[in-house]
Amino acid sequence: MQNNEEAEMNDSQVLNGRTISMTTSIIYFVISLVINSAGNVLTLVTSAKIHPSYLGSAYWTAAEANLSVAFGWNLFWAFLILGVVITILNAILVGHWSWRRALGNLIFMVPFSALIQIFEDFFIGKYSFFKGLPDANSTGMIIFYILLNFFGVALIGTAISIYQRVNLVLHPADDLMQILRFKYFKGNANIAMWASYIPPTIMAIIAFIITKQFTNFGIGTIFAFLFQGGITGIADTRVFPSLKHQALDVGKSDE
């Protein structure tokens, strides 16, 4: 259900410029980037630790991981290449190409993709100081990993809320969700998130055609599909509530 703040965003905050300093924006952005990367990898790693694998990861992450397997890419290149494709789609939806926006998407993708790889290496035990998360060999461990997977989704939704409000640079997928949210869906985060899942669904179908299997899809993916957008909407008012959406540019409204 669309809350009053979301409705007000359409009329006021979309028109506002920046109300926070660049230093503050960068601090918020760095915090959200780390949170998002950790959340994404938590969904991937917890999915891999339960056998048979039925847990799954966040929706975009699952699709990108499937494509990385299908084309033999590591996660860095999967996230980076697909981000470029979504950047082009965003320009089409907004109605104009912005080098500043495209560069911002690229600036986001490079450290984000690198952090994804770093967190993945950490959680699977590639660093000498941590042996990685063990496989789930008991009911208690399975329940713990399910909750940890859902927590990862919550981290992703929270991070999206923070850096969308900062609107300094965005991952193309979250830029897509923001464009849909404020241009087509009256600020409703849930519906916009669901609509933004169309591209990763296409990605997953392509990967399935190539590999004849789905990996990283499961109950965690369903949880992300149903609730990640709602978590983002809730975080808008509960996490750093004084932080408002900054300098939105979603093109001319089709209303």
Side-chain angles (χ1 to χ4, degrees):
M1 180 175 180
Q2 181 179 337
N3 59 36
N4 291 332
E5 182 177 359
E6 286 176 336
E8 291 171 0
M9 287 179 202
N10 288 308
D11 299 325
S12 59
Q13 293 180 10
V14 171
L15 302 178
N16 286 345
R18 294 202 166 273
T19 59
I20 58 176
S21 68
M22 182 58 66
T23 299
T24 302
S25 297
I26 292 173
I27 291 172
Y28 277 130
F29 172 71
V30 171
I31 291 171
S32 63
L33 190 67
V34 173
I35 292 173
N36 196 11
S37 304
N40 270 284
V41 175
L42 272 177
T43 65
L44 281 171
V45 173
T46 52
S47 176
K49 294 300 180 179
I50 296 178
H51 306 289
S53 181
Y54 57 80
L55 187 51
S57 60
Y59 204 84
W60 275 92
T61 309
E64 290 168 322
N66 272 270
L67 271 187
S68 72
V69 172
F71 290 101
W73 302 333
N74 64 25
L75 285 178
F76 175 87
W77 287 109
F79 276 67
L80 190 62
I81 292 171
L82 295 173
V84 171
V85 174
I86 301 303
T87 296
I88 296 172
L89 173 61
N90 292 343
I92 294 172
L93 291 175
V94 172
H96 63 86
W97 177 263
S98 169
W99 281 108
R100 179 187 176 280
R101 190 177 208 132
L103 182 60
N105 290 162
L106 182 62
I107 289 172
F108 185 104
M109 285 188 294
V110 172
F112 175 67
S113 301
L115 280 171
I116 286 287
Q117 198 67 56
I118 289 171
F119 276 114
E120 183 190 34
D121 291 344
F122 172 76
F123 283 118
I124 65 176
K126 284 192 174 181
Y127 299 114
S128 58
F129 56 87
F130 180 65
K131 294 183 179 180
L133 295 176
D135 287 344
N137 296 316
S138 67
T139 301
M141 285 294 291
I142 291 173
I143 293 173
F144 173 71
Y145 280 157
I146 290 173
L147 294 176
L148 194 58
N149 185 282
F150 290 175
F151 177 67
V153 172
L155 288 180
I156 296 168
T158 300
I160 290 172
S161 167
I162 297 169
Y163 59 64
Q164 279 189 341
R165 281 179 284 159
V166 172
N167 201 30
L168 191 61
V169 292
L170 296 173
H171 187 280
D174 301 318
D175 199 10
L176 171 63
M177 183 263 194
Q178 180 158 269
I179 293 167
L180 294 170
R181 179 180 181 182
F182 292 105
K183 186 173 182 179
Y184 299 103
F185 299 116
K186 303 181 185 298
N188 191 300
N190 245 332
I191 297 176
M193 184 69 75
W194 290 331
S196 73
Y197 284 152
I198 294 173
T201 300
I202 296 173
M203 296 175 195
I205 292 172
I206 292 172
F208 178 75
I209 291 173
I210 295 173
T211 64
K212 301 297 188 296
Q213 63 181 7
F214 279 128
T215 58
N216 295 304
F217 281 91
I219 59 175
T221 314
I222 296 172
F223 179 84
F225 182 87
L226 293 175
F227 299 113
Q228 187 172 304
I231 292 169
T232 297
I234 292 171
D236 282 351
T237 60
R238 301 293 178 85
V239 180
F240 304 129
S242 62
L243 175 62
K244 306 302 180 182
H245 282 78
Q246 306 288 305
L248 287 172
D249 175 18
V250 296
K252 295 181 179 179
S253 175
D254 286 353
E255 295 182 356

